[in-house]
Amino acid sequence: MPGLRILAIETSCDETAVAIVEDPDAVLAARISSQIHLHQPYGGIVPEVASRNHNLALPPLLLGALEDAGLRIGDIDAFAATAGPGLASSLLIGNTTAKTLALSSGRPFLAVNHLEGHLLSPFIGQPGGIRPCLALVVSGGHTLLLQLRSAENYILLGQTRDDAAGEAFDKVAKMLGLPYPGGPEIDRLARGGNPAAYHFPRSMIDSQNDEFSFSGLKTAMLYTLRKINNPKSQMENLCASFQEAVVEVLVTKTLRATRRLEQRLVTLSGGVSCNSRLREAFADACQRENIELRIAPPELCTDNAVMIAFAASQKLARGRCSPLSEDIDPNLALA
Ligand code: KG4
Ligand code: ZN
């Protein structure tokens, strides 16, 4: 007998994504439509442009995903959608669509926290299911350090006091004249640069808590740029030096919490965990300390609907579903 089939929709920001997953994590279809090119001229996400394009992109993506999976709507056992955090008008498109499909087919609806999707993504397709770990979630909107005990049991240890790690990448990239989103651009340019060429602050690296602060990096970059005659010639060194500051803080604080809480597994998730230097630095540090490291493949680190389906399957396995009256919440917290 086939497992339960969950169709999940993700529309919290600028990616419209649909996935069909057979419980718990066999991916039958995963379609994604990025709007980045529409927002690039503005240097960031324009909420109204985002919601209107989710509205346009979603129907063909749904049909395409069903075709990829060789299924019809009637073959789907449950419908899930991101309920927050994210842009209100964007969340509403995916959420209302999933509720409507659930209502018309008489199947359950599951509201999923986008951050829970990221948090659990390193376990998708991995044997052994979800295991206790120290989890770092680093995205465009969040920088969270958590202790994960089981699928729906986690403790928030700390988060950023100001900018998220991805936000720091995006803002600094903008100052350097690089296109949005800045993270992948900085990652690419940094490969040819010297990470010790400039010194950027490692804010809160020695603080005895699990909090972060990245907003000082913008000011530091501004002052550094003022001192350089030809910043374009220093682009690679600036990117490598800035990136190293972010990476060093993330690795140091995550490993310190891992030791303190005697965890044997570290997971990374969220868009910033695509960063090649971050992956390399975590791999080195974890190997040195004999700690296991799990990072989802890049397509599951950035926003996607497979992670929403996977988080929904964990809820469904516990007999949980959401009322159709449940609202979206742009500020939905994780713990
Ligand atoms: O998780 P995500 O796709 O969306 C949110 O939930 O925010 O993360 C997007 C963020 C952006 O800030 C983007 O610049 C960053 O992830 N990002 C990266 C890389 N790829 C994406 N940051 C650094 N290096 C990368 N390779
Ligand atoms: Zn995300």
Side-chain angles (χ1 to χ4, degrees):
M1 205 179 91
L4 293 176
R5 292 172 185 139
I6 301 173
L7 185 152
I9 305 176
E10 155 63 40
T11 58
S12 65
C13 194
D14 59 342
E15 317 276 3
T16 320
V18 176
I20 302 172
V21 166
E22 195 163 281
D23 192 41
D25 58 4
V27 180
L28 305 183
R31 288 224 177 188
I32 193 155
S33 161
S34 174
Q35 312 177 358
I36 281 178
H37 61 288
L38 296 171
H39 300 277
Q40 259 165 352
Y42 306 98
I45 310 294
V46 183
E48 168 141 357
V49 173
S51 54
R52 292 180 72 151
N53 282 283
H54 286 309
N55 199 31
L56 286 177
L58 197 45
L61 279 186
L62 279 168
L63 292 173
L66 287 166
E67 192 182 318
D68 291 349
L71 299 173
R72 290 172 305 154
I73 281 286
D75 300 322
I76 304 295
D77 298 297
F79 295 89
T82 305
L87 301 168
S89 52
S90 289
L91 289 165
L92 279 170
I93 306 289
N95 211 261
T96 307
T97 305
K99 282 179 181 169
T100 307
L101 291 169
L103 186 67
S104 57
S105 60
R107 304 291 189 184
F109 165 70
L110 295 117
V112 174
N113 186 318
H114 179 84
L115 295 170
E116 194 169 298
H118 278 308
L119 173 66
L120 301 181
S121 63
F123 296 100
I124 299 172
Q126 298 293 322
I130 292 164
R131 285 170 37 205
C133 65
L134 211 292
L136 176 69
V137 181
V138 268
S139 69
H142 296 84
T143 302
L144 309 171
L145 204 52
L146 298 115
Q147 185 181 358
L148 179 73
R149 291 173 164 167
S150 61
E152 289 186 273
N153 180 356
Y154 34 76
I155 304 164
L156 178 62
L157 302 170
Q159 55 187 317
T160 181
R161 290 187 171 175
D162 39 60
D163 290 349
E167 199 176 352
F169 270 95
D170 296 339
K171 286 179 174 171
V172 162
K174 200 170 180 177
M175 292 170 75
L176 294 172
L178 300 170
Y180 178 87
E185 293 291 323
I186 290 182
D187 189 352
R188 185 176 57 79
L189 287 165
R191 282 177 207 148
N194 172 8
Y198 297 95
H199 184 77
F200 288 102
R202 272 72 168 155
S203 299
M204 300 186 75
I205 198 164
D206 294 320
S207 69
Q208 291 309 308
N209 56 32
D210 298 312
E211 294 182 354
F212 301 92
S213 167
F214 294 108
S215 69
L217 281 166
K218 286 173 304 196
T219 324
M221 180 59 83
L222 191 71
Y223 287 137
T224 306
L225 286 174
R226 279 190 191 151
K227 284 189 221 142
I228 305 173
N229 284 333
N230 181 7
K232 280 218 165 3
S233 70
Q234 287 300 307
M235 204 60 114
E236 294 182 337
N237 285 340
L238 287 165
C239 288
S241 302
F242 158 78
Q243 179 175 272
E244 200 60 23
V246 177
V247 167
E248 198 180 315
V249 173
L250 291 174
V251 173
T252 304
K253 299 205 76 166
T254 305
L255 268 285
R256 191 181 296 145
T258 308
R259 282 191 294 271
R260 189 182 77 236
L261 296 164
E262 297 177 347
Q263 299 294 299
R264 304 307 315 154
L265 172 65
V266 166
T267 63
L268 307 186
S269 58
V272 180
S273 57
C274 290
N275 185 271
S276 54
R277 176 67 192 127
L278 186 73
R279 287 174 168 248
E280 179 187 70
F282 262 104
D284 289 349
C286 288
Q287 193 184 32
R288 257 195 322 273
E289 304 206 18
N290 203 17
I291 290 167
E292 191 185 341
L293 174 67
R294 269 202 198 169
I295 319 173
E299 66 276 15
L300 294 179
C301 290
T302 47
D303 289 350
N304 66 87
V306 174
M307 69 181 192
I308 304 301
F310 182 63
S313 77
Q314 305 300 319
K315 293 185 194 301
L316 210 54
R318 288 172 173 70
R320 304 240 325 260
C321 59
S322 312
L324 290 172
S325 57
E326 189 165 315
D327 202 1
I328 54 134
D329 182 353
N331 300 312
L332 191 60
L334 186 53

